[in-house]
Amino acid sequence: MFVWAAVYKVYHLVDTNTVSPSTLLAAGKELVLFQHESHLYYLHIVLLVYAFLPLTRLLTCRGSKRLVEYFLLLWFALGIFYPTVIHFWPFRLLSGIPLQWRMNMTWAAIGYGVLGYYLKRYPIKKRWAVASLAVGFAMVFGLTVRFSLNKGVLDTQFWEGMSVGVCLMAAGIFALFYAVPASSVPACLTSGARFLAKASFCVYLCHMLFLSIFRNLGMDANWPTPLVGIPLLAGLTFLASLLVYGILSKIPGVKHWLI
């Protein structure tokens, strides 16, 4: 986390031509105070998920199915549903302690690990997985479009990781992939999936770097039109990040500890 945060700090100083002892010192202070590149918030979440593994493993290994379901019910109600609806009537009329019932997004992420265990241990039928994915996508896409058009600006609240639509999509996608027997997947796809799985963390870590570089080159999601610019920018960023992974994965220490 600190290494990649430092990479972004140095990049922005070089990009703005403001490298000096004072700016480097200020960047160092920001590193210590966790003022990092915005997308690195995910690393904090991962740290907490791993920190709670002894407890969540105890729940999944020793707890009954009903106890795990009770945990998931509480998690969904307070960590997914409530944060999604709290800004809408009648929930927005609440004040005081009830506002603190909802789980912070960082802590709510822990529940996804337990949900993954449950879907593996007690698989749902494919039609329910498809329904969960379809309903989730309809909520994320449909509500984002509606509220964005009403406000005149992009409204991102319905694609937050701890929102109902995203949770339903995640559950549906996970259940569908888990339902596919490994023996039915062609070897070429299996090897490709393994490569992408290994590269995905590096892609996440460095993709913001390339988005900034392409933006400086005059390329953004609106160039030349959003219909072309969005997939073009996504594709170029993905390929550039894969190239970085291909290079860094050849360096032993970096391969095992930084990507």
Side-chain angles (χ1 to χ4, degrees):
M1 178 172 64
F2 285 103
V3 169
W4 281 95
V7 168
Y8 279 93
K9 292 294 183 183
V10 172
Y11 165 76
H12 288 304
L13 291 178
V14 173
D15 181 49
T16 56
N17 196 27
T18 55
V19 179
S20 69
S22 60
T23 57
L24 289 173
L25 179 60
K29 292 179 179 179
E30 292 174 353
L31 283 178
V32 175
L33 296 174
F34 297 99
Q35 297 175 15
H36 301 166
E37 196 75 10
S38 60
H39 75 300
L40 295 181
Y41 78 90
Y42 176 70
L43 294 180
H44 295 264
I45 290 178
V46 170
L47 287 173
L48 288 178
V49 170
Y50 274 92
F52 269 77
L53 270 181
L55 297 178
T56 52
R57 280 176 173 164
L58 183 63
L59 170 66
T60 55
C61 294
R62 300 292 182 88
S64 64
K65 178 182 179 182
R66 179 170 294 185
L67 183 61
V68 175
E69 290 174 343
Y70 178 70
F71 172 89
L72 289 174
L73 178 63
L74 279 179
W75 165 70
F76 186 83
L78 301 179
I80 301 296
F81 178 77
Y82 193 27
T84 302
V85 302
I86 196 170
H87 301 295
F88 301 97
W89 188 92
F91 299 96
R92 66 185 179 193
L93 301 178
L94 297 172
S95 61
I97 291 298
L99 293 178
Q100 300 180 40
W101 291 356
R102 61 174 173 170
M103 290 183 187
N104 179 279
M105 180 190 77
T106 303
W107 297 106
I110 297 171
Y112 274 108
V114 180
L115 177 62
Y117 160 82
Y118 184 85
L119 291 174
K120 289 177 64 177
R121 181 70 175 79
Y122 310 104
I124 61 177
K125 295 182 179 179
K126 288 184 180 181
R127 64 173 178 268
W128 290 113
V130 172
S132 179
L133 174 57
V135 172
F137 178 79
M139 291 181 65
V140 173
F141 185 79
L143 292 174
T144 297
V145 169
R146 177 183 175 184
F147 279 78
S148 297
L149 290 176
N150 287 342
K151 293 181 178 181
V153 295
L154 180 63
D155 189 327
T156 64
Q157 63 180 314
F158 296 106
W159 69 34
E160 296 293 339
M162 309 307 153
S163 61
V164 174
V166 172
C167 182
L168 292 175
M169 286 184 65
I173 292 172
F174 183 90
L176 284 175
F177 272 93
Y178 189 73
V180 177
S183 59
S184 66
V185 181
C188 59
L189 293 180
T190 302
S191 59
R194 287 198 183 101
F195 173 77
L196 291 178
K198 292 179 180 180
S200 61
F201 189 49
C202 182
V203 170
Y204 147 75
L205 288 168
C206 66
H207 80 281
M208 292 295 291
L209 193 65
F210 289 108
L211 285 175
S212 178
I213 292 173
F214 290 137
R215 191 180 302 116
N216 290 340
L217 296 175
M219 299 175 59
D220 59 24
N222 295 314
W223 181 88
T225 66
L227 188 62
V228 175
I230 291 174
L232 177 62
L233 187 61
L236 290 175
T237 302
F238 181 65
L239 291 176
S241 300
L242 281 182
L243 178 61
V244 170
Y245 169 74
I247 296 173
L248 296 183
S249 63
K250 305 300 182 182
I251 307 174
V254 172
K255 176 181 178 181
H256 292 293
W257 297 106
L258 297 181
I259 59 172

